[in-house]
Amino acid sequence: MRVVIVGATGNVGSAVVRALAADPAVTSLTGLARRKPRWQADKTTWRQVDLRASDGDGPPLADLFRGADAVVHLAWLIQPTRDPAETWRTNVLGTARVLKAVAAARVPALVCASSVAAYSPGPTDRAVDESWPTHGCPTSAYSREKAYVERMLDTFEAEQRDIRVVRMRPGFLFSRASAAQQRRYFVGPLLFGPLARPELTPVVPDVAGLRFQVLHTDDAADAYRRALTRPVHGAFNLAADPVLDPAQLARIFRARRLKLPPAVLRAAVAGAWHGRLIPASPGLLDTLLRLPVMDCSRAHGELDWRPGRDAEEALRALVDGLRHNAGAPTPPLDPHPPGGRLREFATGVGQRP
């Protein structure tokens, strides 16, 4: 099996490369990324591709896909939250380029990253399966773009019936190696490693609607590997137990719960974002407070998949990575990028990819 991975150097992409490289059924990997890594992965050839560019500015995607047994599309910009037109160019227009190239190259299978953030708000008394509406959260560019890509995939499936399409809808994906990247994406330069200690968290916000699901990135990568090597199609929810809520977080961090109205927490996030103290926009908080709980029974049954780590282990891996400024030898995961934290401040904290 020859597989092309679009967005092969980020949190999910690097884990998928490792998972597929270890699978004897996979003979070669082509990793596409905006910036080539210094990482030398088994079975993997790297090619530099920017989804924001036209085909005239680089190698045509269809040429890179031709002869592949499957394409895994993972490329996604979370930042800059202050320039949604920039994320739209990569996430939506870039996905359109990928779909067009998959069709032109007649690739037999496409596995595409979606997200729990694509879902509409769900019921509070039960988990939802993959048939739940995917209309996203209107105040969050990330959620809107995930929902829009779901509509693009609907059209693609209807028009390209001979191409097997799989959509992965994971919860929040954490790993130790992703810590430096996720700090830059969501928390910003003011969080230093020594502060990322559970014993230094005296309270956790107890906010109505705050409940979310997480998964270790390596377990998500295993699900992608299984989807490539089984004749499955459609959407799969991916998450580990238990669901994290204020009670669970207070237990994990040995902290007290502090009751807060959602409007107060949103105002605090909005103030920090507008003040360029954090890169995470208030729209991302809106999405977090609207998420449904996902039922992952389909992945358990059709992929024979179970997470190897529970939600607490995944969260602790991230916290440990934050404490030690952990990363990996790829540009998105680099714990010591050029310019460091000073560059984060100088470029506007959430103003650049």
Side-chain angles (χ1 to χ4, degrees), residues 106-121:
R106 308 315 306 161
V107 180
L110 168 69
V111 181
C112 189
S114 186
S115 169
V116 62
Y119 280 121
S120 303

Side-chain angles (χ1 to χ4, degrees), residues 148-196:
Y148 196 94
V149 166
E150 289 273 357
R151 302 291 75 74
M152 295 169 68
L153 291 171
D154 291 342
T155 302
F156 184 80
E157 282 185 307
E159 294 177 345
Q160 309 293 335
R161 295 184 179 274
D162 58 336
I163 297 177
R164 182 171 67 90
V165 179
V166 178
R167 317 176 194 199
M168 294 302 202
R169 296 175 184 158
F172 295 96
L173 296 175
F174 297 154
S175 70
R176 190 178 188 276
S178 72
Q181 179 194 48
Q182 292 183 330
R183 180 199 59 75
R184 291 193 295 267
Y185 279 176
F186 301 111
V187 186
L190 293 177
L191 178 67
F192 291 90
L195 299 177

Side-chain angles (χ1 to χ4, degrees), residues 100-310:
K100 181 180 178 181
V102 167
R106 308 315 306 161
V107 180
L110 168 69
V111 181
C112 189
S114 186
S115 169
V116 62
Y119 280 121
S120 303
T124 58
D125 60 342
R126 62 184 175 88
V128 303
D129 65 16
E130 290 82 357
S131 66
W132 194 255
T134 51
H135 301 310
C137 174
T139 59
S140 165
Y142 176 82
S143 182
R144 289 195 307 268
E145 290 162 5
K146 286 292 186 185
Y148 196 94
V149 166
E150 289 273 357
R151 302 291 75 74
M152 295 169 68
L153 291 171
D154 291 342
T155 302
F156 184 80
E157 282 185 307
E159 294 177 345
Q160 309 293 335
R161 295 184 179 274
D162 58 336
I163 297 177
R164 182 171 67 90
V165 179
V166 178
R167 317 176 194 199
M168 294 302 202
R169 296 175 184 158
F172 295 96
L173 296 175
F174 297 154
S175 70
R176 190 178 188 276
S178 72
Q181 179 194 48
Q182 292 183 330
R183 180 199 59 75
R184 291 193 295 267
Y185 279 176
F186 301 111
V187 186
L190 293 177
L191 178 67
F192 291 90
L195 299 177
R197 302 169 67 97
E199 59 269 25
L200 296 181
T201 307
V203 297
V204 297
D206 190 348
V207 179
L210 180 60
R211 56 176 188 167
F212 57 97
Q213 290 165 288
V214 306
L215 182 65
H216 195 283
T217 311
D218 289 345
D219 289 325
D222 182 54
Y224 275 90
R225 181 187 64 81
R226 291 167 185 265
L228 284 169
T229 56
R230 286 167 168 75
V232 298
H233 62 87
F236 289 91
N237 293 337
L238 303 174
D241 291 327
V243 177
L244 297 181
D245 59 17
Q248 288 282 354
L249 294 173
R251 180 187 60 79
I252 292 169
F253 290 106
R254 299 179 182 178
R256 294 183 299 106
R257 287 186 282 171
L258 177 64
K259 281 280 189 184
L260 280 178
V264 172
L265 182 59
R266 191 185 196 281
V269 171
W273 183 71
H274 287 294
R276 298 184 181 274
L277 300 177
I278 62 171
S281 72
L284 288 174
L285 176 64
D286 295 340
T287 299
L288 177 64
L289 297 181
R290 290 164 50 101
L291 295 176
V293 172
M294 297 184 295
D295 179 343
C296 301
S297 299
R298 184 170 189 238
H300 298 164
E302 296 190 29
L303 297 178
D304 191 24
W305 172 84
R306 292 289 193 286
R309 305 159 185 80
D310 65 21

Side-chain angles (χ1 to χ4, degrees), residues 329-346:
T330 72
L333 302 179
D334 189 350
H336 303 290
R341 295 175 192 248
L342 289 178
R343 186 173 183 272
E344 292 180 53
F345 280 115

